[in-house]
Amino acid sequence: MRCSRLRAWLEGLEGEQLDHLFRFTSLTALMTTLAALILYGALRSGEGFDAADGWMLAMVAVSVARVVGARRYHRLRPARDRLPQWAAWAFGTILLQGLLLGSLSLIWPEPAAPEVESLLHIVVATIAIGATVPLPPFYPVFVAFVVSVLGPLALRDVWIADAYHLTMAALVVATGLYTLQGGRRQALALAQTQAERRKNAALIEALRLENQRAEQAHEAKARFFAAANHDLRQPLHAMGLLAHSLHQGSAAARADEVPARLVECVDSMAHIVDELLELAQVDVAGVEPRPELFALDALLREVVRAHELPARHKGLRLEMDSGALTVWADRRLTARVLANLMSNAIRYTERGAVRLSSRALEGRAEVCVEDTGIGIAEHELPRIFEAFYQVGNPARDRRLGVGLGLATVKRLGDLLDLRVQVQSTLGHGSVFRFSLPLHDAAPATTAPPVPPSDALLAQRRVLVIEDDADSRAALTGLLVTWGCEVRSAEDVTSARARLAEGFEPEAVLADLRLAGGASGIEAVLAVRSALGTALPALLMSGDVDAAQTQRAQEADLRLLAKPVKPMQLRAFLGQTFGT
């Protein structure tokens, strides 16, 4: 036990402490040798001369060894892992010299003349007091040295036991206690100084790292906005040109190609905005996980079905291998992670297959998305989860995405503790893995929603409450093309007016934020109150934060973030009118 503690103490020593020790080695060795010569001269005149010769030679040898070792230490500047060996060597030679000084009591046991006795006590006490300069940082060694030097001398005085030597014994003990106390105070002061120095060094390092992180964040933010600026302006630029062509009224511009490209540009911008908003919500902790029990295989089948069409267009095989696993997680956010990984795999795979699988592993359900695509070089792996960073798309082709999918996966993975991992070989494909907590009981699976047909929506009465005139007209026009009977209003008052005209809606589509600080929730509740029924309603808003979502849930209303896709509206109306 003592050996292990000694080893731990030696390994905990710092380089500057040993620098301090070796800095005084030559001086203390010289002073000790001079003191030994003085005592040696006194010994030559008395008995024990032969033993004094050997003692003096040993003292000189140890002093020379200490000086040579100190010079070698300063020349080599040993590495951190070699410091314990150097410390052990330094302490060993110091204690050896202390024991040699203490051995004088054995070489010189008989009392000598008073002046010689005084010289002996003065020299030995001086050497012990002098140790307070180099040794207090190493207090255990300091104590051992002082005791080995003064202890035998005090015992010798007590052994002789005359009045003079008993007095000298008391003085030696008092000197030793004073020296040890002074050394302890120095040791505590030095320890406090070193602790403050380490604390300051840690603060400086933390500040340096924080500055480095701030610089990296600033650079990442600059890259983020540069890429976002480019990817948002590109479809906007194309939309402007296409809209101008339509405005000119040429027959070529009115062909199917121009409207189709306009839809493509709108979808592209909506996709970018959706991913930017989702990424921003996660970054500011606006997304609150809502864990629930669900069948993982059912979710995987939904994800596969949703990606069958783009995979088929590229001639890819979609494969799935999943057992009946039940997990405890946020189903919606997990589906978002899976959708991003699947879209990414299909986008960067030109031939072969994309495989989605799951298995039970150490109390968790491991999900894998594997592709035979272009793969990722090893040096690019650390950056693939950065926003707008893309592998193999230097031209920023929108058909290859905008580089937000994996950034969202990383943020959601951290939020849900999915432990996302990636393995990839350039030219041979990639494997993305994450895991979810397993649960024993399997919930009942539900069939995926079926998009409603136009016949289901025909002649259905829908009330639109929207304060923005362009959005109101566009939404009304879209519903009319689906066969719905539509009335529109810009606020609560005009909504009540439509009801007073005899229009009885079967569903309400309302903007959350209306003019004048009014709320779409208030408008829906007013319509419900006027009709006396829990009318199905859908809220839409460009500001979907946690507070707004909570308000909508309390009112038993569904809330979608703008821009709302037509398929989302059709799904809501299909669920409403299909029941």
Side-chain angles (χ1 to χ4, degrees), residues 319-536:
E319 301 174 355
M320 176 179 160
D321 180 15
S322 177
L325 300 177
T326 303
V327 296
W328 173 258
D330 188 307
R331 194 180 194 278
R332 180 181 65 87
L333 297 182
T334 303
R336 183 61 176 165
V337 170
L338 275 171
N340 284 359
L341 291 177
M342 287 291 289
S343 298
N344 208 60
I346 293 172
R347 187 177 295 124
Y348 289 98
T349 302
E350 294 301 326
R351 62 180 64 85
V354 174
R355 186 170 186 267
L356 182 58
S357 63
S358 66
R359 61 170 179 164
L361 182 66
E362 298 179 355
R364 294 177 70 89
E366 183 185 72
V367 181
C368 294
V369 178
E370 184 176 359
D371 64 66
T372 58
I374 63 174
I376 306 168
E378 185 176 356
H379 70 275
E380 290 189 289
L381 286 175
R383 295 195 59 192
I384 61 173
F385 293 105
E386 294 179 12
F388 287 106
Y389 185 81
Q390 288 183 285
V391 177
N393 188 19
R396 306 291 301 173
D397 185 351
R398 291 197 305 277
R399 292 171 298 180
L400 296 178
V402 295
L404 291 175
L406 290 183
T408 303
V409 167
K410 178 64 168 63
R411 307 297 207 282
L412 292 177
D414 292 343
L415 181 68
L416 303 175
D417 188 28
L418 299 183
R419 308 173 189 180
V420 180
Q421 297 177 340
V422 58
Q423 291 177 310
S424 186
T425 303
L426 190 62
H428 293 82
S430 305
V431 180
F432 286 83
R433 291 185 175 88
F434 65 88
S435 63
L436 302 161
L438 273 175
H439 197 274
D440 295 334
T445 59
T446 57
V450 179
S453 64
D454 290 342
L456 185 63
L457 303 182
Q459 302 304 311
R460 294 292 188 173
R461 298 182 300 277
V462 180
L463 177 62
V464 173
I465 306 176
E466 170 64 71
D467 61 332
D468 181 75
D470 291 336
S471 297
R472 186 169 64 248
L475 181 54
T476 301
L478 178 64
L479 293 172
V480 169
T481 63
W482 291 345
C484 297
E485 183 183 348
V486 187
R487 297 291 186 275
S488 63
E490 63 271 14
D491 52 25
V492 177
T493 302
S494 57
R496 288 197 178 105
R498 300 296 175 269
L499 300 181
E501 294 170 357
F503 183 72
E504 294 186 7
E506 298 173 88
V508 179
L509 303 180
D511 186 24
L512 179 62
R513 294 184 181 274
L514 300 175
S519 167
I521 296 176
E522 299 171 0
V524 171
L525 295 179
V527 172
R528 285 178 171 178
S529 176
L531 296 176
T533 181
L535 192 66

Side-chain angles (χ1 to χ4, degrees), residues 222-290:
R223 292 194 303 269
F224 178 91
F225 281 113
N229 178 63
H230 174 275
D231 290 332
L232 284 171
R233 285 180 180 273
Q234 284 293 87
L236 188 62
H237 172 69
M239 288 170 61
L241 297 178
L242 292 169
H244 184 73
S245 298
L246 284 175
H247 183 68
Q248 295 300 314
S250 65
R254 295 184 183 278
D256 291 341
E257 182 180 358
V258 172
R261 289 190 176 181
L262 273 172
V263 171
E264 181 182 335
C265 291
V266 171
D267 288 344
S268 176
M269 287 196 67
H271 178 70
I272 296 172
V273 171
D274 283 346
E275 291 199 329
L276 283 172
L277 289 175
E278 184 171 35
L279 196 62
Q281 282 183 334
V282 176
D283 283 343
V284 299
V287 176
E288 188 70 27
R290 299 181 182 275

Side-chain angles (χ1 to χ4, degrees), residues 286-307:
V287 176
E288 188 70 27
R290 299 181 182 275
E292 59 179 308
L293 283 179
F294 65 90
L296 181 60
D297 56 326
L299 176 60
L300 298 189
R301 282 195 296 270
E302 291 177 18
V303 172
V304 168
R305 279 193 294 267
H307 291 83

Side-chain angles (χ1 to χ4, degrees), residues 550-563:
Q550 182 66 28
R551 288 181 58 201
Q553 288 177 344
E554 291 173 354
D556 193 24
L557 295 171
R558 184 178 174 187
L559 177 62
L560 293 180
K562 290 184 177 180

